[in-house]
Amino acid sequence: MKLNRRAFIKSAAAGSAIVAAGSIFPGISFAGWQQQEGASGQISWQKAPCRFCGTGCGVLVGVSGDRAVAVKGDPNCSVNKGLCCVKGFHSVQALYGKDRIKKAQVRRNGKMVEVPMTEALDLIAAKMKETIEKHGKDSVAMYGSGQWTIPDGYVASKLFKGCIGTNNVEANARLCMASAVTGFMTSFGIDEPMGCYEDIEHADVFVTWGNNMAEMHPVLFSRMLASRKRKKNVTIIDFATRTTRSSQAADKSILFKPSTDLAVANAICYEIIRNDWVNWDFVKKHTTFHKGKTNIGYGTEDHFSFTDVPEDISFEQYKTFLADYTPEKVEKISGVSAKDIKYMASLYGDPTKKVMSFWCMGMNQHVRGTWIQNLVYNIHLLTGKISTPGNSPFSLTGQPSACGTVREVGTLTHALPHGVVMNEHDREMAAKIWDVPVTNIDPKPTYHTVEMFRALDRGDIRFMWIQVTNPMVTMPNLNRYRNGALKDDRFIVVSDVYPTPTTAVADVILPATLWVEQEGMFGNSERRTQHFDRIVPGPGDTMSDTWQIIEVARRLGFQKQFPWGEDEYIGKIWEEYRRFHDSPKHNMASYEMLKERSGVQWPFVNGKETRWRFNTKHDPACKPGTDFDFYGKKDGKAWIWARPYEPAAESPDQEYNFWLNTGRVIEHWHTGSMTRRIPVLHNAMPESYVEINPEDAADLGVVNGEKVKIISRRGSVTMKASINGRGVPPRGMVFVPFFDESYLINEVTLDAFCPISKQPDYKKCAVRLEKV
Amino acid sequence: MALPAKGAPDIAQGFDSGGEKIFNRFNETPLAATTGTDGTRTLNTYYELRQYPGSPPRVPHDVPDSFSGDTLKCLSCHGRGGYDVTLDAYAPVTPHHEYENCFQCHVPRRTEKLFVETDWQSINPPLLGRSEMGGSPPPIPHTLQLREDCIACHTGNAAVAEIRVEHASRGNCRQCHVPMIATEPRKEFTRNK
């Protein structure tokens, strides 16, 4: 039936000028959603950062009654200026899955039984005491998350490092951001990007290093596309190991063989020097040259340890080192043509072009993750394209508060809210602010994440509390760590919002509030701290992760350190935490200001955000009278590193002849425990798959949708083949998204890591394929 | 294809809720295309694709697996609209053609099943035809964010029947229609004393 409006109005008994859309077709309800009963039909909007990735989009959550019912992009937030992605637009639906954990559960005779919250908290405190008495303080551990709010991570660190006195605090950001941190620390001596998202509007060239931004950071990718459309002369280079949506949108796609980005980055520097595109004024004033150890290993064995020993070198020595990386030589290693290498070098080298490099997991989840960050910084330092609008090496984050909570609060074994446990002054500062004896804080780091789960398997750790993360999907070489967690005499506490493979190994499950059901702060990729209020109540007995820790801390006798009331604790914690960062290098905004604004960037000095650090025009921490001041390093310089190409820990061979690469898709975020409960997202991407190159698929005799078994030395998984689907790997590589708990690809991956950052490499191991 | 930006040269862009878009669209769209009434879309089918008033709609038709970031493919139909033979339908026109990463917000449906059941609820869609006086022009019931281009959605064959205007030959929509967001509390004028 063709309808026009006149015919339509005639057919719909329109007695009144006011016609509710829902009553236009009596008896038919709109299928898109269930309508809230008794609602006023009106929404009030409150600001929050998005719950998902590290971009930190501002969203406005629409509330009707006590429910979140809608989302729009926050036009006042400079990150996204009113735009979201499909996850953000549907984010509030993550609160309402029917299987939400609403009651505490404890394991009794192998079965989980619902108990009152107080009973579960008593049990946790008793178990912690008992374990510490029997096995020592380093037998209890906290494994947290880049999705922890800043107060969550802060109280965890205060309880474990300050009160109990163990450095057994780690977070899943070790799997996600550790190489970014060690990259910043080795090159600049201070963590987090010097630039900001505003660089996108200033840049002429974008190079994305192993980074499918169209799916993983879509809002920033759109910002890049919008800038290209407006300015006309913008170039986007997708430099990657696999062809993706980002390749389709780019001006040029350049594929390299896994791990050879190291060689290509060196070749780019070789070309920059050969063509004398070096910004000598900048290099002489602001950089020094260094080298470290080589053949540094892969960490696949227990108790692996590595400490780099930096040595000063001269520019001439650096130039000699680069002689091994001529474009012609590197073409043979990397599969990237010398012509393409020279082209990339010419874009970086052209003094009239402003260049932004973007990266995320491709460079972070890399057994030479720290090195590749150093090498990309080298390019920007040699050309002086750094810390100025549009010239910006930019490390993106994958979680909403990997920066805010893990990197800034320091919820890693070696770190403190300011500085590191090894440093006496940093320990003294922490002890003073925390009101604990300085002797409480152990000067020796214990376990990084992989080693922490190995310690759990070995029995060195007996008690682990896991909050806001799902390691029984995300740990590489998963079989070992799941078996370890299930061993007798291991006690696992999991705080979460939905049942997951991690709650399946728990002895106690605590029901947690999710996102805007609690007050908190996140910190995004561009040093922006974002506050959100408790906008809707959490269901059942749910409790914020911060408050769970406070309750247990009090049961352990630390009332003095955790004195706050339930109506004020977030503000009080923030103001206590902020004392750690009281300097022009890291000053943070007050609680009141955070509540008011859609995010505030640090360093926040004299009422002003610092958009470009190390640049005297923009950064009040710089020494006056100079143009740049890389104050993170004692010598005031940025460090250029000679770092060689070294191969992956496990490369394809005769028996295991394919690379396995893993990652994400736009619809799902991490292990899908939230996004799979959002109808639109699950409907669009119901299950994981293995991407195979069409020619490899033909050799295997596999057509689209047929099952393929992926086998490594550690495990296997059988799943459907995707040929010419979302992405296309080159010949000899397969790609699997890791969001689907029914296909645990991490049983196949390898627990090798970067020896400097201890971050595992999820992008490179060897597998073979069998048609099923 | 997306519309070219056409406003007077060298003026600022993006102010007045992207008001320029209305004039560009009006200029670019043949009268016949704005006045067509052959489409079959109704508010019912419109809301079936949404999760709450204002959410980005799903893609209701098949798209091949390999269909990915090539935005020309989406915008070739949804940039300016027109009749599509394979679907026997008029393509709805996007009100925000300047965004080209379409799959960032719009995804198809590959299964009807849910991972787990949901308790999701939202409010009723806004009321229609809320003229303040008999015959006065109704206010705009939704926010203009991402929906600034009135002509894209409210005119032509692909417009939803209930919200299609009958005076598409006029190109300055906000001369008569002003935003009064139906889903937000109404702000009454009170005098400061």
Side-chain angles (χ1 to χ4, degrees):
Chain A
M1 184 181 65
K2 310 279 182 189
L3 274 180
N4 65 33
R5 184 163 166 265
R6 189 170 292 132
F8 173 80
I9 287 174
K10 274 187 208 147
S11 72
S16 153
I18 298 171
V19 181
S23 68
I24 281 169
F25 293 100
I28 302 174
S29 69
F30 297 120
W33 67 84
Q34 191 193 339
Q35 263 134 53
Q36 195 184 11
E37 269 176 46
S40 64
Q42 294 195 333
I43 291 174
S44 67
W45 299 97
Q46 275 180 270
K47 78 169 170 83
C50 178
R51 175 62 180 78
F52 300 120
C53 81
T55 301
C57 292
V59 300
L60 294 171
V61 176
V63 180
S64 167
D66 62 359
R67 291 181 69 99
V69 297
V71 178
K72 59 183 179 182
D74 180 354
N76 289 325
C77 181
S78 65
V79 172
N80 55 317
K81 301 170 183 165
L83 189 65
C84 293
C85 81
V86 66
K87 292 184 294 298
F89 275 123
H90 296 98
S91 52
V92 290
Q93 293 188 302
L95 304 174
Y96 298 113
K98 277 229 165 133
D99 58 344
R100 190 66 196 271
I101 298 170
K102 296 175 185 165
K103 292 251 176 220
Q105 299 170 38
V106 302
R107 192 173 294 279
R108 284 198 186 127
N109 304 319
K111 265 189 73 179
M112 295 310 282
V113 185
E114 286 189 354
V115 297
M117 218 33 197
T118 47
E119 198 181 318
L121 293 164
D122 289 345
L123 175 63
I124 293 166
K127 204 72 199 175
M128 279 178 86
K129 266 189 209 158
E130 183 196 318
T131 312
I132 292 168
E133 276 162 24
K134 256 204 237 167
H135 303 285
K137 62 188 176 54
D138 288 337
S139 64
V140 299
M142 171 61 93
Y143 184 60
S145 172
Q147 300 156 63
W148 255 347
T149 65
I150 290 173
D152 292 342
Y154 181 77
V155 294
S157 178
K158 186 173 182 178
L159 172 61
F160 278 74
K161 299 198 169 201
C163 298
I164 296 171
T166 174
N167 287 320
N168 281 349
V169 178
E170 275 283 299
N172 65 0
R174 177 74 74 175
L175 314 178
C176 166
M177 293 313 313
S179 302
V181 178
T182 49
F184 278 113
M185 296 312 287
T186 47
S187 290
F188 304 101
I190 190 169
D191 193 20
E192 298 199 28
M194 52 291 299
C196 60
Y197 296 154
E198 202 185 310
D199 286 317
I200 297 173
E201 279 75 39
H202 296 285
D204 306 303
V205 176
F206 297 92
V207 182
T208 60
W209 291 71
N211 186 16
N212 178 10
M213 278 177 82
E215 291 197 74
M216 307 321 155
H217 297 86
V219 167
L220 298 177
F221 192 72
S222 288
R223 229 171 126 165
M224 210 156 91
L225 295 185
S227 179
R228 180 173 67 177
K229 193 169 179 173
R230 197 172 52 248
K231 288 166 60 173
K232 309 278 185 229
N233 57 349
V234 168
T235 308
I236 301 173
I237 308 292
D238 174 50
F239 183 62
T241 59
R242 153 180 171 261
T243 306
T244 64
R245 276 189 185 169
S246 299
S247 326
Q248 288 174 314
D251 296 284
K252 190 170 173 62
S253 151
I254 300 173
L255 290 180
F256 63 92
K257 291 181 186 155
S259 209
T260 67
D261 43 354
L262 297 157
V264 175
N266 276 331
I268 289 171
C269 292
Y270 173 90
E271 275 295 296
I272 286 169
I273 293 171
R274 191 181 67 86
N275 289 292
D276 202 19
W277 291 325
V278 176
N279 182 338
W280 283 111
D281 181 51
F282 182 92
V283 167
K284 283 182 181 152
K285 268 163 76 183
H286 303 299
T287 68
T288 48
F289 293 85
H290 307 266
K291 70 172 186 180
K293 286 189 184 173
T294 58
N295 285 317
I296 61 177
Y298 299 100
T300 46
E301 63 278 13
D302 281 37
H303 304 294
F304 172 89
S305 97
F306 173 80
T307 311
D308 203 11
V309 181
E311 281 176 53
D312 295 350
I313 56 171
S314 67
F315 171 75
E316 285 309 317
Q317 284 171 296
Y318 174 66
K319 200 175 154 187
T320 310
F321 158 81
L322 286 179
D324 284 343
Y325 298 96
T326 67
E328 291 71 22
K329 284 180 190 165
V330 170
E331 173 175 326
K332 293 199 183 90
I333 307 170
S334 65
V336 181
S337 71
K339 194 177 149 222
D340 282 348
I341 293 171
K342 289 176 179 176
Y343 173 62
M344 285 172 77
S346 74
L347 293 174
Y348 278 109
D350 183 342
T352 67
K353 286 192 162 74
K354 294 178 187 152
V355 189
M356 239 188 138
S357 301
F358 274 115
W359 66 90
C360 196
M361 290 310 126
M363 271 172 49
N364 294 351
Q365 294 176 339
H366 192 311
V367 282
R368 295 293 176 265
T370 310
W371 288 7
I372 184 62
Q373 324 260 338
N374 294 148
L375 296 184
V376 173
Y377 292 131
N378 287 354
I379 302 172
H380 284 268
L381 291 169
L382 284 173
T383 53
K385 293 189 181 184
I386 195 163
S387 290
T388 49
N391 284 318
S392 187
F394 205 103
S395 161
L396 293 164
T397 44
Q399 300 189 84
S401 202
C403 286
T405 305
V406 181
R407 294 161 70 167
E408 292 160 29
V409 178
T411 52
L412 295 168
T413 183
H414 64 283
L416 287 166
H418 181 271
V420 290
V421 296
M422 298 81 89
N423 181 304
E424 196 186 340
H425 296 293
D426 296 339
R427 290 199 303 278
E428 278 165 4
M429 178 195 242
K432 190 169 163 237
I433 294 174
W434 284 345
D435 194 11
V436 295
V438 70
T439 47
N440 269 25
I441 304 173
D442 195 324
K444 208 171 162 299
T446 52
Y447 309 109
H448 58 84
T449 294
V450 171
E451 196 59 26
M452 186 185 260
F453 278 89
R454 286 176 184 167
L456 182 70
D457 179 37
R458 293 193 301 262
D460 299 336
I461 288 175
R462 299 297 177 111
F463 171 102
M464 188 186 281
W465 187 351
I466 299 167
Q467 285 195 324
V468 215
T469 185
N470 193 3
M472 293 302 128
V473 177
T474 54
M475 284 303 292
N477 191 12
L478 180 58
N479 282 321
R480 174 177 179 192
Y481 302 118
R482 190 195 305 106
N483 292 337
L486 287 169
K487 278 184 180 165
D488 285 346
D489 206 18
R490 305 289 188 277
F491 197 85
I492 311 288
V493 178
V494 179
S495 306
D496 213 332
V497 296
Y498 289 112
T500 65
T502 305
T503 61
V505 303
D507 297 285
V508 176
I509 300 172
L510 293 179
T513 45
L514 171 54
W515 189 33
V516 293
E517 293 167 352
Q518 64 200 351
E519 187 184 356
M521 301 88 174
F522 287 156
N524 81 350
S525 294
E526 58 158 4
R527 296 176 277 110
R528 186 174 297 279
T529 314
Q530 300 161 297
H531 173 271
F532 50 101
D533 261 322
R534 179 172 177 269
I535 295 175
V536 292
D541 289 348
T542 53
M543 185 184 278
S544 77
D545 296 281
T546 304
W547 198 256
Q548 292 173 13
I549 294 169
I550 292 172
E551 287 281 352
V552 169
R554 289 176 179 172
R555 281 165 170 80
L556 293 172
F558 302 112
Q559 285 89 347
K560 193 174 83 170
Q561 286 79 13
F562 297 88
W564 316 291
E566 225 173 327
D567 54 344
E568 52 158 29
Y569 67 113
I570 299 297
K572 298 276 185 195
I573 290 170
W574 176 260
E575 291 302 339
E576 181 181 308
Y577 163 58
R578 202 156 74 96
R579 292 168 60 195
F580 280 96
H581 295 310
D582 188 16
S583 94
K585 295 178 187 175
H586 202 130
N587 226 341
M588 305 191 89
S590 69
Y591 177 63
E592 285 70 31
M593 184 153 290
L594 288 178
K595 275 179 85 102
E596 252 168 51
R597 296 198 190 172
S598 299
V600 183
Q601 267 182 307
W602 63 265
F604 186 72
V605 184
N606 302 326
K608 272 179 77 177
E609 298 179 326
T610 304
R611 287 176 301 169
W612 290 280
R613 288 199 295 171
F614 314 137
N615 179 332
T616 313
K617 269 188 236 151
H618 298 273
D619 184 347
C622 291
K623 254 196 307 289
T626 167
D627 46 357
F628 295 95
D629 177 9
F630 292 93
Y631 50 72
K633 289 283 193 191
K634 285 206 181 90
D635 62 2
K637 313 276 184 180
W639 286 22
I640 290 173
W641 285 89
R643 302 286 203 190
Y645 160 70
E646 285 181 11
E650 186 185 69
S651 298
D653 54 22
Q654 289 290 316
E655 196 184 353
Y656 296 92
N657 54 344
F658 278 84
W659 287 106
L660 170 66
N661 182 2
T662 68
R664 280 189 39 223
V665 291
I666 188 170
E667 290 87 349
H668 290 300
W669 194 72
H670 282 196
T671 62
S673 57
M674 291 180 285
T675 50
R676 298 188 87 194
R677 286 163 174 92
I678 295 174
V680 174
L681 301 177
H682 178 71
N683 291 160
M685 184 55 77
E687 61 178 352
S688 185
Y689 50 78
V690 52
E691 285 176 3
I692 308 178
N693 181 279
E695 290 176 50
D696 287 331
D699 288 352
L700 269 171
V702 173
V703 301
N704 210 17
E706 276 189 317
K707 292 224 164 154
V708 174
K709 190 171 184 186
I710 308 158
I711 307 154
S712 76
R713 292 178 177 89
R714 295 153 296 279
S716 69
V717 61
T718 300
M719 59 205 309
K720 287 181 189 160
S722 164
I723 299 159
N724 285 328
R726 182 65 61 84
V728 184
R731 285 208 76 163
M733 179 193 287
V734 294
F735 174 84
V736 178
F738 73 93
F739 69 84
D740 191 340
E741 65 186 54
S742 305
Y743 304 98
L744 290 169
I745 193 61
N746 279 318
E747 293 182 350
V748 181
T749 53
L750 175 66
D751 52 349
F753 51 78
C754 167
I756 301 174
S757 71
K758 328 294 189 219
Q759 174 169 0
D761 186 333
Y762 292 87
K763 308 288 189 188
K764 303 180 246 342
C765 74
V767 296
R768 64 189 164 85
L769 306 179
E770 278 175 14
K771 184 181 173 176
V772 178
Chain B
M1 307 297 147
L3 291 171
K6 261 287 193 75
D10 305 324
I11 62 161
Q13 298 218 322
F15 64 98
D16 191 24
S17 298
E20 188 191 56
K21 281 165 131 188
I22 298 173
F23 302 116
N24 289 342
R25 176 75 68 183
F26 182 67
N27 232 2
E28 287 285 319
T29 315
L31 203 55
T34 58
T35 53
T37 57
D38 278 349
T40 58
R41 288 175 77 219
T42 65
L43 267 188
N44 223 21
T45 54
Y46 176 90
Y47 280 119
E48 267 173 11
L49 299 175
R50 286 160 171 81
Q51 303 292 312
Y52 56 84
S55 88
R58 303 181 204 246
V59 179
H61 52 78
D62 271 354
V63 278
D65 274 341
S66 60
F67 192 91
S68 231
D70 187 349
T71 55
L72 293 181
K73 291 181 188 165
C74 295
L75 289 174
S76 64
C77 293
H78 296 289
R80 293 173 190 247
Y83 179 70
D84 181 87
V85 181
T86 49
L87 295 169
D88 185 22
Y90 287 92
V93 180
T94 173
H96 44 253
H97 60 84
E98 70 277 25
Y99 292 113
E100 296 191 339
N101 191 17
C102 311
F103 279 86
Q104 174 179 325
C105 301
H106 304 282
V107 292
R109 193 201 289 247
R110 304 204 188 282
T111 178
E112 298 284 323
K113 283 192 207 130
L114 294 179
F115 183 63
V116 295
E117 290 299 308
T118 178
D119 273 331
W120 171 249
Q121 300 171 9
S122 190
I123 57 164
N124 293 319
L127 305 176
L128 293 182
R130 303 191 319 154
S131 297
E132 292 293 292
M133 301 172 284
S136 74
I140 302 166
H142 58 76
T143 132
L144 292 178
Q145 196 175 329
L146 295 167
R147 288 181 285 173
E148 313 94 333
D149 181 352
C150 314
I151 293 170
C153 299
H154 291 280
T155 75
N157 290 315
V160 165
E162 295 93 323
I163 61 168
R164 189 191 290 139
V165 299
E166 297 194 314
H167 48 269
S169 59
R170 298 175 204 157
N172 188 12
C173 312
R174 282 154 63 190
Q175 154 188 340
C176 299
H177 304 279
V178 295
M180 192 172 82
I181 314 304
T183 52
E184 288 174 19
R186 189 161 172 168
K187 295 182 190 89
E188 304 288 351
F189 172 71
T190 49
R191 200 165 160 242
N192 287 328
K193 280 185 186 159

